[in-house]
Amino acid sequence: MSKKSKHELENNKLNKRLRHAVGDAINDFNMIEEGDKIMVCLSGGKDSYALLDILRQLQASAPVDFELIAVNLDQKQPGFPEHVLPEYLESIGVPYKIVEEDTYSVVKRVIEEGKTTCSLCSRLRRGVLYRVAKELGCTKIALGHHRDDILQTLFLNMFYGGKLKAMPPKLVSDNGEHIVIRPLAYVKEKDLERYAESKQFPIIPCNLCGSQPNLQRQVIKEMLQDWDKRFPGRIESMFSAMQNVVPSHLADTELFDFASLQRGQKLKYGGDLAFDRETVPQRFSDGLEDDSSEIRVEMPTPKKIINILANKPKG
């Protein structure tokens, strides 16, 4: 197989993987319904380009009919190449609207030099997009946040906000008038980077926030990337944890009625245990066994733990 053919094969596999991931997210959260008019927020970054591209592919084969309209907010950042997005969208035949709002000047006027602008910029941008979605008669607003964005937000809220909170794949907007969806919720950022490169999207860098050093989100991102390299599978496990929440084993009195607990009460997820029983992949260095084989590691019962501690030699 030639180098070109191998490259094309890898790109086809990547495209198929992304389509499946987006399709699964759409199905799991019922993101798109018959007759929907979806506003795809296009920033000019790799994520939103990929979002629009994959949604167009699914639109051609989906069992339901839905419309797409790409919307870009021109925030009047100095040097912003205004021609790039209209030329790209016209070349692929996608309906679009460019909204011009000078939020850049507002952010620069309000935020002190050296301070992070992301929070205010995001709020201003989101408010404009809500308004435009209503004007266009859109039923859904699609954002390009991916799996890594969602996990980063989870850790940001834990570390700095004191909350177990992330960005859900689907939610009602702040003003209650729209449904916000994130079809890339199951997609890895590194796959989006490869996809953008293979598709040669005309990327537009953000000079307002992307150039700021030492952002908290960037620190969290680097932490997760380091974990992903050193502990393969940890990122996947953490994202799975977001889909397997056990209120009775946390400490939120609004989610679980701790005050009314009684002895002998049957709980959905069982009683008190230090850890869940673990499933650990069994790997053999000789390569004779497949990595998918597993061994069950049974955690000792509380009674066994007590006996172990009681019989432990002193000293």
Side-chain angles (χ1 to χ4, degrees):
M1 182 183 294
S2 68
K3 186 175 181 180
K4 181 180 180 181
S5 298
K6 184 178 180 180
H7 186 65
E8 290 176 350
L9 179 62
E10 290 175 350
N11 286 339
N12 288 336
K13 286 182 179 179
L14 175 61
N15 181 261
K16 186 176 181 180
R17 183 162 68 249
L18 293 183
R19 285 185 56 165
H20 281 171
V22 172
D24 286 345
I26 290 173
N27 290 331
D28 288 350
F29 296 91
N30 191 31
M31 291 185 184
I32 298 178
E33 300 169 277
E34 180 72 32
D36 268 341
K37 184 175 183 180
I38 302 171
M39 184 176 91
V40 182
C41 300
L42 195 65
S43 66
K46 67 181 189 313
D47 306 329
S48 58
Y49 273 124
L51 173 63
L52 177 62
D53 190 69
I54 296 168
L55 286 180
R56 289 183 67 228
Q57 294 179 45
L58 294 177
Q59 184 184 37
S61 57
V64 297
D65 291 325
F66 60 92
E67 295 180 53
L68 296 173
I69 179 168
V71 173
N72 169 255
L73 173 58
D74 180 355
Q75 298 175 273
K76 296 304 174 185
Q77 295 182 32
F80 182 78
E82 298 178 0
H83 64 285
V84 172
L85 286 173
E87 289 178 0
Y88 172 76
L89 293 167
E90 287 170 10
S91 71
I92 61 175
V94 172
Y96 71 92
K97 180 178 180 65
I98 306 296
V99 182
E100 297 185 3
E101 290 281 350
D102 190 2
T103 61
Y104 177 86
S105 295
V106 175
V107 171
K108 284 298 186 182
R109 184 175 68 252
V110 174
I111 302 296
E112 295 180 29
E113 190 68 30
K115 298 289 185 179
T116 302
T117 61
C118 296
S119 179
L120 177 59
C121 179
S122 177
R123 285 183 173 276
L124 291 173
R125 185 171 64 246
R126 196 66 61 86
V128 173
L129 293 175
Y130 288 167
R131 187 200 75 215
V132 174
K134 188 173 183 178
E135 293 172 354
L136 296 175
C138 295
T139 56
K140 304 278 174 63
I141 298 175
L143 303 177
H145 298 120
H146 45 70
R147 185 198 67 178
D148 300 64
D149 286 325
I150 293 173
L151 277 174
Q152 289 163 24
T153 303
L154 173 68
F155 279 92
L156 280 168
N157 279 315
M158 282 198 296
F159 292 172
Y160 304 107
K163 294 181 180 178
L164 274 174
K165 174 185 175 183
M167 294 186 294
K170 180 182 180 182
L171 195 65
V172 177
S173 62
D174 285 346
N175 62 9
E177 297 181 351
H178 307 283
I179 295 292
V180 176
I181 60 175
R182 295 180 171 91
L184 300 181
Y186 293 167
V187 178
K188 305 174 184 178
E189 183 174 22
K190 57 187 176 184
D191 281 345
L192 291 171
E193 291 170 351
R194 288 179 53 204
Y195 192 69
E197 184 178 351
S198 69
K199 288 288 186 175
Q200 296 185 323
F201 294 134
I203 305 297
I204 302 174
C206 177
N207 296 321
L208 180 59
C209 57
S211 59
Q212 294 183 72
N214 302 320
L215 293 180
Q216 292 171 341
R217 180 173 289 274
Q218 182 62 29
V219 173
I220 297 295
K221 179 177 181 177
E222 291 172 359
M223 179 190 76
L224 293 176
Q225 288 175 338
D226 178 58
W227 284 356
D228 194 31
K229 291 178 182 177
R230 294 195 294 139
F231 310 105
R234 176 175 288 189
I235 301 298
E236 287 74 13
S237 180
M238 288 190 297
F239 190 81
S240 294
M242 294 178 62
Q243 300 170 286
N244 292 282
V245 179
V246 184
S248 61
H249 289 54
L250 294 174
D252 191 324
T253 57
E254 291 189 9
L255 292 181
F256 186 78
D257 187 6
F258 293 98
S260 300
L261 272 179
Q262 301 292 326
R263 284 181 295 175
Q265 183 176 335
K266 297 295 183 181
L267 299 177
K268 181 177 180 180
Y269 297 99
D272 186 66
L273 282 175
F275 297 99
D276 285 343
R277 292 174 176 83
E278 300 179 34
T279 299
V280 181
Q282 184 175 16
R283 302 180 183 276
F284 296 90
S285 60
D286 58 10
L288 295 177
E289 296 288 343
D290 186 84
D291 281 353
S292 62
S293 63
E294 296 178 340
I295 56 174
R296 297 294 299 181
V297 179
E298 296 294 332
M299 296 298 294
T301 64
K303 185 176 181 180
K304 285 184 179 180
I305 293 175
I306 292 172
N307 289 336
I308 291 169
L309 293 174
N311 296 321
K312 182 179 178 182
K314 292 184 178 180

